[in-house]
């Protein structure tokens, strides 16, 4: 079996950069890496992503939103994650079910029992071996996003247009999720305001230890 690692964080926390660095590191070690993201990652998932991110879809209900994220996830798990893990690859996913718990559960304050059931259904109970959470002050994250948007490196989407209180609930929610996880050691919580190099070293320290423990068992 391979290794399943997910990256989580509020907007602008630098997940993309860290995924790129970890991919490069793993590949120099001779690992086969599959990087993917949510929503998206498959042909169907990318079509769903388009609907979810379209800024014109202002009438989208919270219920429709959660079902669309879940549909994209269900497709990703079956079409990509499970087959790649079965081939022994390292699968790196930019966001996973924890994003739904944080954004739709804590952010939109939807019913948690329902979200958990839906999460189990969409993922078939497939849990990450490691969740890397990049923790960042909300103001700093939004400022980072605004800079990326102003320089044309990123296009703002429907979820980028929410108010600051929403993101604060999401950030607090992530901390709560880590505390309540049945395996809290699965979480690696890092300060995303640290230099990029420092963060990638912390990520590598944990991932290389995990790889060794997988090989030796
Ligand atoms: P994306 O452009 O991928 O942003 P980021 O670089 O921050 O990951 O947009 C994903 C957005 O969708 C982001 O604002 C978080 C949100 N989201 C949810 O609200 N629920 C979910 O289940 C997922 C996967 C993402």
């Amino acid at each position: 079996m391979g290794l399943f690692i997910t990256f989580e964080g509020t907007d602008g926390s630098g997940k993309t950069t860290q995924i790129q660095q970890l991919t490069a590191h793993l590949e120099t070690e001779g690992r086969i890496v599959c990087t993917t993201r949510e929503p998206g990652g498959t042909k169907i998932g990318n079509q769903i992503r388009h609907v979810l991110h379209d800024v014109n879809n202002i009438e989208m209900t919270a219920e429709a939103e959660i079902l669309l994220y879940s549909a994209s996830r269900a497709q990703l798990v079956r079409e990509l994650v499970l087959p790649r893990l079965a081939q022994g690859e390292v699968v790196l996913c930019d966001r996973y079910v924890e994003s739904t718990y944080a954004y739709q559960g804590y952010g939109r304050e939807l019913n948690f029992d329902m979200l958990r059931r839906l999460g189990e259904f969409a993922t078939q109970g497939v849990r990450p071996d490691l969740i890397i959470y990049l923790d960042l002050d909300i103001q700093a994250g939004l400022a980072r996003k605004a800079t990326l948007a102003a320089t044309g490196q990123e296009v703002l989407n429907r979820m980028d247009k929410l108010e600051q209180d929403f993101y604060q609930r999401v950030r607090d929610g992530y901390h709560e999720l880590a505390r309540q996880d049945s395996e809290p050691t699965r979480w690696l919580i890092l300060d995303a305001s640290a230099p990029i190099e420092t963060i990638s070293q912390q990520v590598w320290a944990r991932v290389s230890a995990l790889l060794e423990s997988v090989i030796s068992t």
Side-chain angles (χ1 to χ4, degrees), residues 94-132:
D94 187 344
R95 300 194 178 281
Y96 191 53
V97 70
E98 274 64 34
S99 281
T100 290
Y101 299 148
Y103 282 76
Q104 279 66 47
Y106 289 97
R108 298 245 190 251
E109 299 177 304
L110 291 185
N111 179 286
F112 235 99
D113 290 339
M114 184 274 297
L115 287 184
R116 292 265 184 211
R117 281 209 303 279
L118 205 49
E120 291 272 313
F121 178 65
T123 62
Q124 282 191 308
V126 175
R127 298 293 293 134
D129 298 295
L130 175 63
I131 300 167
I132 299 174

Side-chain angles (χ1 to χ4, degrees), residues 47-92:
Q47 292 172 40
I48 297 171
R49 179 181 178 90
H50 186 72
V51 175
L52 276 165
H53 282 183
D54 189 339
V55 284
N56 295 314
N57 284 339
I58 41 169
E59 71 273 41
M60 189 183 294
T61 67
E63 292 77 13
E65 180 181 286
I66 159 74
L67 290 169
L68 286 169
Y69 280 120
S70 302
S72 170
R73 180 166 304 132
Q75 190 67 32
L76 184 77
V77 169
R78 285 154 188 82
E79 189 181 320
L80 196 82
V81 177
L82 284 173
R84 296 303 183 98
L85 289 175
Q87 283 170 28
E89 295 185 21
V90 179
V91 178
L92 304 182

Side-chain angles (χ1 to χ4, degrees), residues 18 21 25 196-206:
Q18 289 305 324
Q21 302 228 343
H25 218 143
I196 290 174
E197 243 346 275
T198 309
I199 301 172
S200 62
Q201 278 163 12
Q202 290 168 323
V203 168
W204 183 247
R206 180 64 178 267

Side-chain angles (χ1 to χ4, degrees), residues 17 27 30 38-39 51 61 71 103-104 124 139 144 171 173 178 182:
T17 309
E27 285 177 348
E38 281 205 6
V51 175
T61 67
Y103 282 76
Q104 279 66 47
Q124 282 191 308
Q139 296 273 21
R144 224 186 245 188
R171 184 184 187 200
S182 57

Side-chain angles (χ1 to χ4, degrees), residues 18-20 22 25 31 49 65-66 68 70 72 79 90 100 104 125 136 150-151 158 170 174 185 211 214 217:
Q18 289 305 324
I19 290 173
Q20 285 164 355
L22 179 58
H25 218 143
R31 294 267 159 190
R49 179 181 178 90
E65 180 181 286
I66 159 74
L68 286 169
S70 302
S72 170
E79 189 181 320
V90 179
T100 290
Q104 279 66 47
L136 186 65
T151 52
R158 202 179 50 88
V170 172
Y174 270 121
T185 53
L211 282 169
V214 170
T217 51

Side-chain angles (χ1 to χ4, degrees), residues 172-206:
D172 296 342
Y174 270 121
H175 286 281
E176 198 55 39
L177 287 170
R179 268 195 297 273
Q180 288 177 3
D181 198 304
S182 57
E183 280 177 52
T185 53
R186 172 181 12 232
W187 289 73
L188 175 64
I189 301 180
L190 298 175
D191 175 5
S193 68
I196 290 174
E197 243 346 275
T198 309
I199 301 172
S200 62
Q201 278 163 12
Q202 290 168 323
V203 168
W204 183 247
R206 180 64 178 267

